[in-house]
Amino acid sequence: MKKCIILFVILLFQSSFTPKEITWVAIGDSITYLNEHPNETGNRITKGYMTGVVERLPQFKYVNKGYNGWTAVKIAIDIEKLNIPVADVYSVFLGTNDWWGSKPLGAWADYENNTGVATVQGSFRVIMNKLRSLNPQAKIVLITPMQRVDFVYINNFKNNAFGSYKEKNGQRLEQFADAIVAIAKFEGIPVVDLYHKKGMDHAKLVHFKYLKDPATGNYKKFSYPEYVDVPFNPASDEYPYPVEASQVTYDGLHPADKGYEMITKELVKIFKKW
């Protein structure tokens, strides 16, 4: 009997120091999706930010709700079809595809007045409302888009886009980032502002872009912002971001291991308090 009591006390003592499992749902676009799909990066990455977080905080168990190419508007429209589970923590990492797809950012009133999915700010309100309905006590963190330079998809060179160093249809990506920061402030929740994070500026995203020099026709490593006006022909040119060009991103848009590690560290700072 005495041994049973001692065993019970030991087990009780151990259980009191066992961290409670925390369910985390990560909502996002391809930057989130790629966590489980390094083969779609030409194996340029070894792990995404979710894997990085749970390695440091093993009490967190994540569910990847990242969708290739999706926007905040698209996710808001389909929010009831996505089977987002009840969780303790939600992260929302969206906006870069809204900017490139010329979705109207809208005004602060669209968020405040819940005007719906016609704008990005209205769509964020729809997403936030859904998460609150799933678990009113859930912790939520927003993540702004990163800056981006000239993106070229490693599996289809014809899928390419210029960077956030200029406007797309009269909108700057920075405006989208600032709107997400404002939403987080209004809601009193944490935000990871990657757009303005030191070391993630345009010049640090890739080491170089490998392009034909218009003057000579020979390939040359152009650094930012030299390559901005150098043409790229997806039908005939080599992939402009060889492995050694990787820095914060491996293709001008999607994080390389260095970029994912930077995101991981920011989330760990927040999550370890929860």
Side-chain angles (χ1 to χ4, degrees), residues 14-187:
Q14 288 178 335
S15 65
S16 67
F17 287 92
T18 302
K20 178 191 171 187
E21 184 173 294
I22 300 171
T23 304
W24 164 33
V25 173
I27 298 168
D29 49 37
S30 57
I31 294 175
T32 298
Y33 165 86
L34 288 172
N35 192 89
E36 268 69 58
H37 303 89
N39 58 306
E40 294 184 33
T41 73
N43 291 304
R44 301 295 181 91
I45 67 166
T46 57
K47 60 183 154 185
Y49 68 87
M50 287 166 287
T51 298
V53 168
V54 299
E55 283 180 352
R56 290 166 173 79
L57 302 173
Q59 70 271 33
F60 279 78
K61 307 299 177 185
Y62 74 84
V63 177
N64 187 338
K65 283 291 183 178
Y67 300 86
N68 264 338
W70 272 27
T71 62
V73 171
K74 176 64 172 171
I75 286 181
I77 289 170
D78 288 344
I79 197 77
E80 298 301 334
K81 303 175 185 176
L82 301 182
N83 298 316
I84 297 173
V86 175
D88 303 301
V89 174
Y90 295 96
S91 60
V92 182
F93 189 0
L94 295 166
T96 198
N97 292 323
D98 293 271
W99 171 74
W100 181 250
S102 299
K103 303 298 183 186
L105 176 60
W108 172 249
D110 293 321
Y111 186 86
E112 192 172 26
N113 299 326
N114 194 18
T115 60
V117 299
T119 68
V120 173
Q121 298 210 58
S123 296
F124 263 86
R125 180 60 182 270
V126 171
I127 295 167
M128 289 291 290
N129 286 352
K130 177 61 178 179
L131 301 184
R132 294 292 191 207
S133 73
L134 289 169
N135 180 4
Q137 279 74 51
K139 306 286 189 181
I140 301 174
V141 58
L142 302 184
I143 307 171
T144 75
M146 298 164 51
Q147 293 183 32
R148 47 191 283 178
V149 286
D150 299 341
F151 161 65
V152 182
Y153 183 36
I154 194 168
N155 297 313
N156 178 6
F157 299 177
K158 291 181 180 179
N159 182 356
N160 58 77
F162 61 74
S164 57
Y165 49 77
K166 64 180 181 179
E167 293 183 347
K168 177 77 185 296
N169 286 346
Q171 299 185 116
R172 292 177 293 107
L173 182 56
E174 186 174 22
Q175 292 173 278
F176 288 70
D178 289 344
I180 291 166
V181 171
I183 290 168
K185 184 177 180 181
F186 176 79
E187 295 288 351

Side-chain angles (χ1 to χ4, degrees), residues 141-146 174 177-178 180-181 190-198 200 266 270:
V141 58
L142 302 184
I143 307 171
T144 75
M146 298 164 51
E174 186 174 22
D178 289 344
I180 291 166
V181 171
V191 61
V192 176
D193 186 0
L194 297 179
Y195 192 93
H196 298 103
K197 180 171 173 55
K198 185 178 179 181
M200 293 186 113
E266 293 302 309
I270 295 168

